[in-house]
Amino acid sequence: MSSSAFLVNDSKYGFLKQLGLSEKNAGVYDGAWKGSGEVVTSVNPSNGKPIAQVVQGTLQEYNDTVAKSNQAWSTWVDMPAPHRGEIVRQIGDELRKNLEPLGKLVSLEMGKILPEGIGEVQEYVDICDYAAGLSRMLEGKILPSERPGHVLMEQWNPLGTIGIISAFNFPVAVYGWNNAIALTCGNTMVWKGAPTTPLCSVATTKIVASVLERNGLPGSICALVCGGADIGNAMANDKRLPLVSFTGSTPVGSKVGVAVQSRFGKSLLELGGNNAIIVADDADIEMVVRATVFACAGTAGQRCTTTRRLILHEKVHDEVVARLVKSYGQIVSRIGDSLEPNTLLGPLHSKVGVDNYMNTIEEAKKLGGKIEFGGKVIPREGNFVEPTIISGLPANSPVVMRETFAPIVYALKASSMDDAIAINNSVEQGLSSSVFTQNIANIFKWLGPKGSDCGIVNVNIPTNGAEIGGAFGGEKATGGGRESGSDSWKQYMRRSTVTINYTKELPLAQGIKFE
């Protein structure tokens, strides 16, 4: 392949060299850049053209990198938490300086539109700010002891070196959630990004590494190993990694979870989501339509929180579908290259995604589904498909019960709020959910023990677009992990229950006498 074929050498994409990328990039960082494994070519999903290449790591390089990150932990953990927070703050500042070029890279390599690409980097900046503040607020409890002259308390300590495996759809932000919080807690880390977004992994690591190196700290505090399933399997089975954070599909995540548990490690799983919006008969339909268009079609349906099921009260079903069809008709004219400013809907990330889209459309039609809008691959270069609305299927139809990572939404009918909640909870995943209603009784039923069984339970907003201040994650086959805000920091630490006796007596708990 000639040098002129790579977009990195095209002046239109000058931001790539601004990020330190070249035609061929080392994909392993442990304080120095290296890599002697398979050479992979990153492709722009908007036009199928090669962007640049990355040399992945070998298993030997992975093992060496983990060893170096383990060694760096001794330096990092000795820093007081507020000092660690200062380093994280500087990482956030360095990301701010690179907000636009890194956001453009996310858009170019993943395929999401430019405002979303920049927004993804902003999310990493925000979590750095959050983690810097957290560094002065990591807390434990002091509890009442039943024994005189004793103190009962909890102590939280970092785990050590953790593994982070992230997915293609958020190639920067998911690492950022883990990276910023885990650093503040005192951990070092080894990151394996998605094999199809390696340039995002390399560019992000270069930014983080520049801060570490400027402060005289080992670069292996935040190490990187680009690679495929062999590296991921090694991480899941590596006893040197007490925690593995995995973001990806439910089938792969279930294997990762079992592998990590078999060695008594901890896993933080962020897996699939067959998310639903319930629309009650008293809902503000204008709000519903505005919220639903982005929730269903935004990011070409490739968010784990994308709305895949619309559970519509039978009284408003036809109106909502008709208005959605009209809105969809307005956005198809703005399907295009993810970097173009007028684009509202970019491509699917890969040809595999296009195949899954078409297979799902065909299955839905065979099962009796009616294509209200879309349902076709767009005949142009790149991986473009039409956003699709399908009605007429029962809620328990196999194709409805299965998550498809594409802009396909099923319009389902419900006869009551209880019926709608049962449909919401009927799928194996439990990530995000929402209800649109003005009825206070509906709201509190939805939030209560007989309501949504998801980790994210919204009211009058869509299923996507979570803020960093809350814990992000889901239940059931979504994995149960929590990242980002609230007390998610506890996932990156171990808890010790401590009893201190400051007397000369030795009373036993529960009043036991052993004399």
Side-chain angles (χ1 to χ4, degrees):
M1 192 178 295
S2 67
S3 293
S4 61
F6 291 102
L7 298 184
V8 72
N9 295 319
D10 185 336
S11 59
K12 177 182 177 181
Y13 305 98
F15 59 88
L16 295 171
K17 290 187 175 178
Q18 186 179 341
L19 291 167
L21 298 173
S22 57
E23 189 175 310
K24 182 176 285 188
N25 303 273
V28 177
Y29 178 76
D30 62 1
W33 286 97
K34 61 190 72 172
S36 58
E38 180 184 354
V39 178
V40 295
T41 300
S42 177
V43 175
N44 176 7
S46 289
N47 58 25
K49 294 180 180 178
I51 305 170
Q53 294 181 322
V54 172
V55 186
Q56 295 183 329
T58 64
L59 283 173
Q60 184 59 56
E61 286 167 331
Y62 162 76
N63 282 312
D64 293 345
T65 299
V66 175
K68 286 195 174 182
S69 196
N70 280 168
Q71 293 169 4
W73 181 78
S74 294
T75 299
W76 184 243
V77 76
D78 281 344
M79 293 178 66
H83 293 188
R84 298 194 297 261
E86 166 59 18
I87 300 300
V88 174
R89 186 196 66 78
Q90 291 180 35
I91 291 172
D93 281 351
E94 202 64 27
L95 287 162
R96 282 185 178 90
K97 295 175 187 176
N98 290 277
L99 187 68
E100 187 169 322
L102 187 56
K104 286 182 175 179
L105 173 59
V106 171
S107 180
L108 177 71
E109 189 173 37
M110 184 273 154
K112 62 181 62 176
I113 62 174
L114 185 55
E116 289 189 75
I118 292 174
E120 177 168 344
V121 181
Q122 182 63 51
E123 194 166 357
Y124 193 171
V125 171
D126 292 345
I127 201 67
C128 284
D129 289 346
Y130 180 94
L134 178 67
S135 71
R136 293 182 179 272
M137 296 186 293
L138 293 169
E139 62 184 8
K141 291 183 177 180
I142 297 179
L143 305 162
S145 173
E146 66 184 65
R147 289 175 281 189
H150 287 59
V151 173
L152 183 62
M153 57 185 284
E154 290 181 348
Q155 174 74 29
W156 291 88
N157 285 301
L159 294 169
T161 299
I162 69 166
I164 301 169
I165 303 173
S166 59
F168 75 84
N169 61 330
F170 279 86
V172 171
V174 168
Y175 174 66
W177 291 351
N178 285 275
N179 168 257
I181 303 296
L183 281 176
T184 289
C185 290
N187 300 288
T188 60
M189 61 213 64
V190 177
W191 177 27
K192 187 195 91 67
T196 54
T197 53
L199 297 175
C200 285
S201 301
V202 170
T204 301
T205 299
K206 284 181 180 289
I207 291 169
V208 174
S210 69
V211 174
L212 295 173
E213 291 167 5
R214 187 168 66 235
N215 284 274
L217 292 165
S220 53
I221 288 171
C222 296
L224 171 71
V225 181
C226 291
D230 57 337
I231 303 298
N233 288 334
M235 294 174 76
N237 290 285
D238 195 336
K239 291 184 177 181
R240 296 172 296 176
L241 303 178
L243 169 70
V244 174
S245 173
F246 174 85
T247 301
S249 70
T250 293
V252 176
S254 66
K255 294 177 182 177
V256 171
V258 169
V260 174
Q261 176 58 39
S262 70
R263 59 178 175 84
F264 297 103
K266 296 173 64 177
S267 60
L268 195 169
L269 301 177
E270 296 284 3
L271 311 178
N274 197 345
N275 315 295
I277 290 177
I278 292 175
V279 180
D281 58 355
D282 66 330
D284 182 325
I285 302 302
E286 177 62 28
M287 279 185 67
V288 169
V289 173
R290 284 191 287 122
T292 300
V293 171
F294 178 61
C296 300
T299 329
Q302 296 169 113
R303 288 177 177 240
C304 51
T305 53
T306 292
T307 300
R308 311 203 182 278
R309 297 175 297 148
L310 284 176
I311 305 171
L312 309 170
H313 192 282
E314 55 195 12
K315 291 181 180 178
V316 299
H317 175 276
D318 292 351
E319 181 185 359
V320 171
V321 170
R323 293 181 66 168
L324 271 179
V325 167
K326 183 178 179 181
S327 294
Y328 271 44
Q330 295 170 349
I331 64 171
V332 291
S333 63
R334 298 177 66 182
I335 294 174
D337 188 306
S338 57
L339 281 174
E340 293 300 319
N342 190 53
T343 299
L344 272 185
L345 190 61
L348 289 174
H349 179 63
S350 68
K351 294 297 183 186
V352 172
V354 175
D355 291 341
N356 288 339
Y357 167 88
M358 282 309 303
N359 291 338
T360 299
I361 297 293
E362 291 306 312
E363 182 181 356
K365 288 194 292 188
K366 288 178 181 177
L367 290 169
K370 177 185 177 184
I371 307 299
E372 299 280 358
F373 190 93
K376 302 183 188 70
V377 174
I378 298 174
R380 56 174 289 175
E381 63 179 4
N383 306 325
F384 292 93
V385 300
E386 294 177 338
T388 301
I389 303 168
I390 301 176
S391 67
L393 289 171
N396 63 353
S397 177
V399 73
V400 175
M401 299 290 283
R402 185 180 68 247
E403 178 190 30
T404 299
F405 225 57
I408 300 172
V409 65
Y410 303 99
L412 311 171
K413 288 184 179 180
S415 59
S416 65
M417 187 65 183
D418 287 341
D419 184 27
I421 291 173
I423 294 171
N424 177 80
N425 294 349
S426 65
V427 297
E428 66 170 352
Q429 296 97 343
L431 178 52
S432 188
S433 58
S434 182
V435 65
F436 279 78
T437 182
Q438 305 301 314
N439 185 313
I440 195 73
N442 283 343
I443 291 172
F444 281 96
K445 177 179 288 187
W446 176 240
L447 302 178
K450 293 184 177 180
S452 172
D453 62 2
C454 296
I456 298 170
V457 183
N458 293 335
V459 177
N460 293 328
I461 64 168
T463 56
N464 58 353
E467 299 180 28
I468 62 135
F472 180 90
E475 300 300 321
K476 303 189 299 185
T478 301
R482 293 295 186 275
E483 293 172 334
S484 197
S486 186
D487 66 349
S488 298
W489 61 270
K490 293 178 179 178
Q491 304 248 3
Y492 306 95
M493 304 191 86
R494 57 180 175 83
R495 172 167 47 187
S496 301
T497 300
V498 180
T499 306
I500 301 172
N501 179 4
Y502 56 88
T503 74
K504 296 293 185 181
E505 304 299 321
L506 285 171
L508 300 175
Q510 292 84 48
I512 294 172
K513 300 293 184 182
F514 192 72
E515 298 174 346

